């Protein structure tokens, strides 16, 4: 059943920040980088590519479909960007300053034994390839100096009563197993020469996709009621904060090991639904039963919304995020005017 924990990482928990501000990260000039990215056409990857290019860095997209990547990032609009199919990944990695690994089949789908295996292998297999290319990229002078690999707070399992930080043990459900194997594969990178950052990401909220895009239609259909019992914890992060966290992980040598990518104030799902319902103009009194969510979204999406843990960042003393849901919803552009 996977790995008991994530090996080969030294965690040094630091005081937890509680400042509720937009990211106030390092203001030091950042030398030009070349960053290879898997999963660049996804919700997070697209925004990360925009940020890197806007700061005059070069980006190499590691993809299985050059045509899809080219449709998302047309060459006329994205100078300084290289698209590499799998046969060219190794050359891109060898020429990169850093590698960001965001690839993985979405879990928000209808699960079957075959789909669950594919969800795991899509993460483990890509991570294994990237690690191999980094480790074989020559000596320390030619090898990427940092590897930022996404994982998820699903590592901790679920709980309505306990809180978790980076030192907490892993859970015992399917998603925890996926995260353990995913992280253990990333840990095979040569950490003597390569700084490894594992980002355990919460539910990412933004107006153009992610969990919010799934939830708004449900609210419109079911009058914005709480999902299930409403007691579940919702550990979330704004898309821009997450992209800034990835960027800081690339450029700040103090960022190392496991970091929880979550805002400082997880909320109960009932609170999330009440605030979102108020903003989109829907009442929040009629609960949405679990069977209805599964019928509309499938098991994977309902698991993503129904089962979660209360997760905090305990491994940083400089990570600052915005932290108020209502402010975030205004940013999303869903506020009725």
């Amino acid at each position: 059943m996977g790995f008991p924990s994530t090996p080969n990482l030294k965690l040094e928990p630091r005081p937890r920040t509680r400042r509720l501000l937009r990211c106030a990260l390092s203001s030091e000039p950042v030398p030009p980088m070349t960053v290879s990215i898997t999963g660049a056409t996804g919700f997070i990857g697209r925004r990360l590519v925009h940020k890197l290019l806007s700061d005059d860095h070069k980006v190499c997209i590691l993809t299985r479909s050059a045509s899809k990547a080219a449709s998302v990032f047309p060459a006329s609009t994205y100078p300084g960007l290289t698209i590499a199919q799998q046969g060219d990944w190794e050359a891109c990695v060898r020429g990169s300053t850093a590698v960001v690994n965001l690839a993985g089949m979405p879990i928000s789908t209808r699960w079957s034994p075959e789909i669950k295996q594919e969800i795991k292998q899509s993460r483990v297999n890509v991570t294994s390839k990237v690690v191999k290319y980094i480790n074989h990229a020559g000596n320390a002078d030619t090898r990427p100096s940092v590897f930022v690999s996404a994982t998820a707070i699903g590592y901790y399992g679920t709980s309505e009563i306990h809180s978790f930080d980076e030192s907490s043990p892993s859970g015992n459900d399917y998603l925890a197993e996926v995260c353990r194997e995913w992280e253990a594969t990333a840990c095979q990178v040569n950490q003597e020469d390569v700084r490894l950052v594992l980002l355990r990401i919460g539910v990412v909220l933004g107006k153009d996709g992610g969990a919010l895009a799934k939830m708004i239609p449900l609210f419109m259909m079911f009058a914005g009621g709480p999902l299930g019992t409403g007691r579940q914890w919702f550990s979330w992060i704004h898309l821009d904060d997450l992209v800034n966290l990835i960027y800081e992980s690339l450029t700040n040598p103090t960022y190392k090991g496991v970091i929880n990518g979550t805002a400082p104030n997880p909320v109960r799902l009932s609170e999330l639904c009440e605030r979102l319902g108020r903003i989109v103009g829907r009442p929040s009194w009629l609960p949405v039963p679990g069977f209805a969510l599964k019928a509309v979204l499938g098991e994977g999406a309902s698991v993503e919304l129904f089962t979660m843990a209360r997760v905090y960042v305990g491994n940083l003393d400089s990570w600052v995020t915005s932290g108020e849901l209502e402010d975030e919803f205004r940013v999303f552009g869903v506020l009725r005017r």
Side-chain angles (χ1 to χ4, degrees), residues 153-190:
I153 61 170
Y155 176 90
Y156 303 108
T158 63
S159 175
E160 292 185 2
I161 59 174
H162 297 296
S163 298
F164 302 87
D165 64 14
E166 293 90 346
S167 64
S168 301
S170 182
N172 56 12
D173 58 15
Y174 162 70
L175 291 179
E177 177 186 342
V178 170
C179 291
R180 287 195 301 271
E181 296 200 24
W182 194 5
E183 293 185 12
T185 304
C187 287
Q188 293 173 14
V189 76
N190 183 349

Side-chain angles (χ1 to χ4, degrees), residues 210-263:
L212 193 69
K214 303 181 188 77
M215 296 179 72
I216 294 293
L218 282 173
F219 270 63
M220 307 310 286
M221 292 169 58
F222 296 107
L227 309 179
T229 66
R231 294 286 299 166
Q232 312 92 317
W233 283 104
F234 192 83
S235 296
W236 59 281
I237 186 169
H238 188 281
L239 174 61
D240 289 336
D241 282 337
L242 176 57
V243 168
N244 283 335
L245 176 57
I246 295 171
Y247 191 89
E248 189 76 358
S249 297
L250 292 172
T251 60
N252 189 332
T254 67
Y255 281 49
K256 187 174 183 180
V258 175
I259 299 171
N260 290 331
T262 58

Side-chain angles (χ1 to χ4, degrees), residues 47 57 99 102 150 183 224 229 261-262 270:
R47 188 65 65 90
H57 302 294
V99 178
L102 301 173
E183 293 185 12
T229 66
T262 58
S270 57

Side-chain angles (χ1 to χ4, degrees), residues 38-307:
T38 69
T41 60
F43 180 48
I44 301 166
R46 293 194 304 272
R47 188 65 65 90
L48 177 62
V49 169
H50 280 280
K51 173 154 181 77
L52 289 168
L53 292 178
S54 67
D55 286 356
D56 297 323
H57 302 294
K58 294 182 179 179
V59 173
C60 181
I61 293 177
L62 308 180
T63 181
R64 292 183 299 174
S65 173
S67 59
K68 177 182 178 181
S71 68
V72 176
F73 302 109
S76 59
T77 311
Y78 294 91
L81 183 143
T82 302
I83 295 175
Q85 292 219 178
Q86 288 197 42
D88 299 320
W89 285 19
E90 186 169 9
C92 273
V93 169
R94 185 183 294 271
S96 294
T97 312
V99 178
V100 178
N101 180 35
L102 301 173
M105 176 182 175
I107 68 167
S108 300
T109 186
R110 298 184 185 277
W111 286 358
S112 66
E114 294 77 19
I115 291 295
K116 291 171 80 170
Q117 182 65 14
E118 187 176 351
I119 287 171
K120 181 192 295 184
Q121 291 306 313
S122 68
R123 288 157 172 76
V124 172
N125 290 348
V126 170
T127 304
S128 179
K129 287 181 181 179
V130 171
V131 166
K132 180 180 72 173
Y133 295 147
I134 294 174
N135 288 344
H136 293 171
N139 57 37
D141 294 330
T142 59
R143 187 179 298 134
S145 60
V146 57
F147 179 38
V148 178
S149 194
T151 171
I153 61 170
Y155 176 90
Y156 303 108
T158 63
S159 175
E160 292 185 2
I161 59 174
H162 297 296
S163 298
F164 302 87
D165 64 14
E166 293 90 346
S167 64
S168 301
S170 182
N172 56 12
D173 58 15
Y174 162 70
L175 291 179
E177 177 186 342
V178 170
C179 291
R180 287 195 301 271
E181 296 200 24
W182 194 5
E183 293 185 12
T185 304
C187 287
Q188 293 173 14
V189 76
N190 183 349
Q191 295 180 51
E192 292 185 4
D193 298 323
V194 180
R195 179 168 54 87
L196 173 63
V197 182
L198 291 175
L199 297 181
R200 292 178 182 156
I201 300 171
V203 178
V204 183
L205 298 181
K207 69 177 182 179
D208 298 320
L212 193 69
K214 303 181 188 77
M215 296 179 72
I216 294 293
L218 282 173
F219 270 63
M220 307 310 286
M221 292 169 58
F222 296 107
L227 309 179
T229 66
R231 294 286 299 166
Q232 312 92 317
W233 283 104
F234 192 83
S235 296
W236 59 281
I237 186 169
H238 188 281
L239 174 61
D240 289 336
D241 282 337
L242 176 57
V243 168
N244 283 335
L245 176 57
I246 295 171
Y247 191 89
E248 189 76 358
S249 297
L250 292 172
T251 60
N252 189 332
T254 67
Y255 281 49
K256 187 174 183 180
V258 175
I259 299 171
N260 290 331
T262 58
N265 61 332
V267 296
R268 297 283 187 182
L269 198 53
S270 57
E271 181 181 352
L272 168 81
C273 293
E274 189 275 330
R275 294 193 190 187
L276 184 56
R278 183 169 68 239
I279 285 177
V280 300
R282 291 291 187 272
S284 301
W285 59 271
L286 181 63
V288 180
F291 74 84
L293 269 185
K294 290 184 180 181
V296 173
L297 298 179
E299 181 184 2
S302 59
V303 165
E304 183 180 27
L305 296 178
F306 264 94
T307 57

Side-chain angles (χ1 to χ4, degrees), residues 303-326:
V303 165
E304 183 180 27
L305 296 178
F306 264 94
T307 57
M308 208 174 301
R310 189 183 193 186
V311 178
Y312 292 109
V313 183
N315 202 28
L316 290 178
D317 54 14
S318 60
W319 170 228
V320 184
T321 72
S322 59
E324 296 298 337
L325 273 171
E326 200 144 328

